[in-house]
Amino acid sequence: MEIKIAEEDGITVVTPVGRVDTSTSKAFEDGVMSAVASGKKLAIRFNEIDYMSSAGLRVVLMAGKKLTASGGALALIDMPEKIFSVFRISGFDKILKIFPNLAESKEFFN
Amino acid sequence: MATLANILVLDDEEDTEDLVRQYFRHQISKGLFEFSFAKCHEESLDLLKRQAFDIFVSDINVAGMDGISFIAQLRRKYPLMRSVVISAYGDINTLRAAMRGGAHDFVIKPIDFKDFSDTLNKTADVVKKLKQSEATTKKLSAISDELDVSAKLQRSMLPGNVVRKGGLEIWADTVPAAEVGGDFYDFFWLSDTKLGVVMADVSGKNVSAAMFALIGKTLIKSFSKSYPSPAECFKYVNKSLCAENVATMFITAMYGIFDLEKNELLYTNAGHLPVVSIRPNADPIFLECDPGMALGIWEETAFVDNAHSFSPGEMILLYTDGVTEAANKEGDEYDKERFLEVLKKNSTAIPKALTEALIASIREFTKGTPQSDDITTLCLKYRLRVAPNVS
């Protein structure tokens, strides 16, 4: 798996590519956490991954907790139905902010 | 870089020891080199028996002995020691033979002490690296032994595979992807007629996940004794897990109490995959319910009890995402359709046969790819015992 990190309109956008499972979750964690360390407004884009296991959910949750604690914010964007169901089943959709796309998360960040 | 090295010099010439001690006096006084001297092979062996050396320096032509085979013998016996041979100028064939036989380096007579010193320093560095690598290998092997023990411990904390009582039959199993896994199941009797069943998946794998799993499993079992409602039990398990969860780990779990008198399953769901109900020769269905959040995330999570009544011959299956999300070489997932199809085909089987058919089908689908997640299943079947018709 690969992780793309880019700056879009003042928001750090992390885009994992491929499968986030047990064997790749460490790379995902390193990528997301380096972005957490460098910016306060972070978005994770999900439309380039095929699969995410609970190990990946944990990374997203950690990023959310870290950002909230430091006065930052995390938005989850461009989430296909299949990945959304992983968030819905585990109940994470209730505590994480999910938006259709980056544009619609603007208000949340402001 | 200079390194502390213990060096054994074998030479039958009288003045070698004096020359060496004189030239290396600074290194010796600084404790960088320590020299011992032997005049024959027997004496060398004797010294080697008594203390460990890093470098063995030998004149290849010590009178009357086969220096090359001696070096080869030392290489086998002391794998962390390296040999430096001293040979006469132009004796290239002997040198080649010595190097082939296991010598590490050589110096030419008459000895240029500057070159000799460099050679000793370089060899000492090599030995130091060898020792470090040996130490790392030992550590890794100790860790690997620890993992074996953890795997055994984890295996031993599971309640076994099978329960049979009256008309009730359970078959449960787990196939971890790593040495130790993050999935666990449990079943325990709460009374003569009530059996608790648990299916859970801890985020992450290996030792940290296994430790968190052990905590979760223990909490569920102990709170189950105090709270007859699965939802209440999870409420307190969740609070306890949230209290000291510094590693941001969580557990998705399903906990149910099967009541043999009511023929009913009372269950609650903490972010876990829905239970499947399998009735003879019918399409299996997911028992959808509003899942509470996974355990260990948010202290105030509310859980809900759901009741499911069994019909004759019905089975329920609890499982983890290692089942439905197992991927094949092309990256396709085993998915719900294949899952439900196998369950339907085996809808009249006993729990063990159904579970085995399911795992065989996953294995067939994922052939040629390493298992990426733990695969855990628990199947419960209850056949009502019909009273004999006395007329």
Side-chain angles (χ1 to χ4, degrees):
Chain A
M1 83 157 256
E2 177 205 342
I3 292 170
K4 300 191 279 194
I5 302 180
E7 207 55 34
E8 291 178 38
D9 303 333
I11 296 160
T12 310
V13 181
V14 178
T15 311
V17 184
R19 261 177 87 86
V20 180
D21 59 23
T22 308
S23 58
T24 60
S25 69
K26 183 77 181 77
F28 181 50
E29 179 173 341
D30 292 347
V32 169
M33 286 306 152
S34 77
V36 166
S38 65
K40 291 229 176 245
K41 295 179 181 177
L42 185 73
I44 304 178
R45 182 173 274 147
F46 288 89
N47 58 4
E48 293 188 47
I49 57 171
D50 320 314
Y51 169 71
M52 192 165 79
S53 76
S54 61
L57 280 180
R58 177 175 164 261
V59 174
V60 175
L61 189 73
M62 276 199 301
K65 278 191 171 175
K66 275 237 167 80
L67 284 164
T68 310
S70 66
L74 173 70
L76 311 182
I77 57 169
D78 296 315
M79 197 181 279
E81 182 54 38
K82 199 168 150 304
I83 303 291
F84 177 69
S85 73
V86 177
F87 281 84
R88 186 181 50 74
I89 289 169
S90 55
F92 281 27
D93 58 329
K94 298 183 185 100
I95 49 164
L96 293 161
K97 298 288 178 195
I98 302 175
F99 299 95
N101 51 50
L102 190 65
E104 295 193 43
S105 70
K106 283 283 161 57
E107 205 171 304
F108 161 70
F109 279 117
N110 293 331
Chain B
M1 199 192 77
T3 312
L4 171 65
N6 209 354
I7 301 161
L8 173 60
V9 181
L10 166 63
D11 196 344
D12 55 1
E13 282 177 33
E14 286 300 327
D15 55 353
T16 305
E17 178 164 354
D18 291 341
L19 282 172
V20 169
R21 287 202 187 281
Q22 169 65 18
Y23 185 82
F24 290 104
R25 61 189 182 281
H26 296 301
Q27 286 96 323
I28 292 169
S29 69
K30 282 183 198 156
L32 298 173
F33 286 161
E34 217 177 286
F35 287 97
S36 300
F37 295 87
K39 292 232 161 15
C40 61
H41 290 176
E42 286 70 30
E43 202 183 339
S44 317
L45 285 173
D46 208 36
L47 283 164
L48 280 161
K49 257 181 223 159
R50 274 183 275 146
Q51 68 177 110
F53 288 95
D54 302 309
I55 304 172
F56 176 68
V57 181
S58 160
D59 187 331
I60 209 76
N61 296 316
V62 168
M65 298 176 230
D66 184 355
I68 293 168
S69 67
F70 186 62
I71 279 168
Q73 180 194 331
L74 291 184
R75 179 72 184 245
R76 284 191 299 272
K77 208 165 170 188
Y78 305 99
L80 290 181
M81 185 175 77
R82 287 294 174 264
S83 296
V84 173
V85 295
I86 304 171
S87 180
Y89 176 76
D91 194 3
I92 192 86
N93 286 333
T94 310
L95 270 182
R96 281 173 59 102
M99 297 302 282
R100 270 202 303 271
H104 176 73
D105 208 340
F106 60 87
V107 287
I108 299 292
K109 267 186 182 173
I111 292 174
D112 169 354
F113 269 88
K114 170 75 177 69
D115 176 52
F116 187 35
S117 172
D118 288 348
T119 305
L120 288 182
N121 273 321
K122 275 189 198 154
T123 309
D125 280 344
V126 167
V127 172
K128 187 184 170 192
K129 291 204 176 87
L130 272 174
K131 282 179 170 173
Q132 283 168 346
S133 137
E134 167 94 354
T136 310
T137 309
K138 273 191 183 151
K139 258 189 217 161
L140 280 178
S141 141
I143 291 170
S144 162
D145 289 350
E146 280 293 306
L147 274 177
D148 282 349
V149 174
S150 309
K152 275 191 198 130
L153 181 69
Q154 193 172 41
R155 200 80 210 170
S156 73
M157 80 175 202
L158 294 173
N161 297 106
V162 64
V163 174
R164 274 195 200 95
K165 185 181 177 182
L168 178 80
E169 185 174 346
I170 283 182
W171 181 262
D173 205 0
T174 182
V175 189
E179 284 90 343
V180 287
D183 281 8
F184 68 90
Y185 63 83
D186 203 2
F187 40 75
F188 40 83
W189 289 98
L190 293 160
S191 72
D192 281 351
T193 55
K194 284 183 180 171
L195 180 80
V197 290
V198 179
M199 176 62 53
D201 181 357
V202 177
S203 56
K205 298 289 160 257
N206 263 323
V207 178
S208 55
M211 286 167 71
F212 206 66
L214 187 56
I215 297 169
K217 182 175 176 287
T218 310
L219 285 173
I220 295 170
K221 197 168 175 179
S222 37
F223 280 118
S224 70
K225 312 267 190 249
S226 316
Y227 300 99
S229 139
E232 276 284 290
C233 172
F234 265 16
K235 184 176 147 188
Y236 291 99
V237 170
N238 180 53
K239 277 187 194 297
S240 306
L241 285 176
C242 285
E244 285 172 41
N245 189 2
V246 281
T248 318
M249 298 185 81
F250 59 87
I251 306 176
T252 72
M254 176 72 78
Y255 168 42
I257 298 173
F258 188 74
D259 187 327
L260 279 76
E261 282 175 329
K262 288 190 194 160
N263 202 17
E264 181 188 88
L265 180 77
L266 189 67
Y267 63 97
T268 192
N269 184 347
H272 201 78
L273 295 162
V275 173
V276 192
S277 148
I278 308 151
R279 292 178 173 163
N281 305 313
D283 286 330
I285 47 166
F286 290 104
L287 301 182
E288 298 289 353
C289 65
D290 185 23
M293 207 179 299
L295 301 166
I297 294 174
W298 187 45
E299 225 166 292
E300 301 307 316
T301 305
F303 299 95
V304 185
D305 278 331
N306 306 273
H308 174 74
S309 293
F310 271 50
S311 59
E314 182 173 347
M315 286 188 281
I316 55 153
L317 181 76
L318 284 67
Y319 54 97
T320 56
D321 58 6
V323 172
T324 45
E325 292 166 8
N328 67 7
K329 263 186 287 195
E330 286 72 39
D332 296 328
E333 278 172 27
Y334 184 68
D335 80 24
K336 278 182 191 168
E337 282 65 40
R338 287 188 186 85
F339 178 49
L340 294 178
E341 198 186 300
V342 175
L343 299 185
K344 186 176 181 181
K345 233 188 242 172
N346 293 276
S347 61
T348 55
I350 58 168
K352 183 175 188 233
L354 176 128
T355 306
E356 284 171 353
L358 175 62
I359 289 178
S361 150
I362 297 168
R363 289 233 185 285
E364 174 64 29
F365 179 75
T366 59
K367 211 158 56 183
T369 46
Q371 186 186 335
S372 71
D373 202 354
D374 303 344
I375 296 172
T376 308
T377 52
L378 184 155
C379 184
L380 181 154
K381 187 168 194 165
Y382 186 49
R383 273 175 290 247
L384 282 173
R385 275 178 300 173
V386 179
N389 193 0
V390 186
S391 54

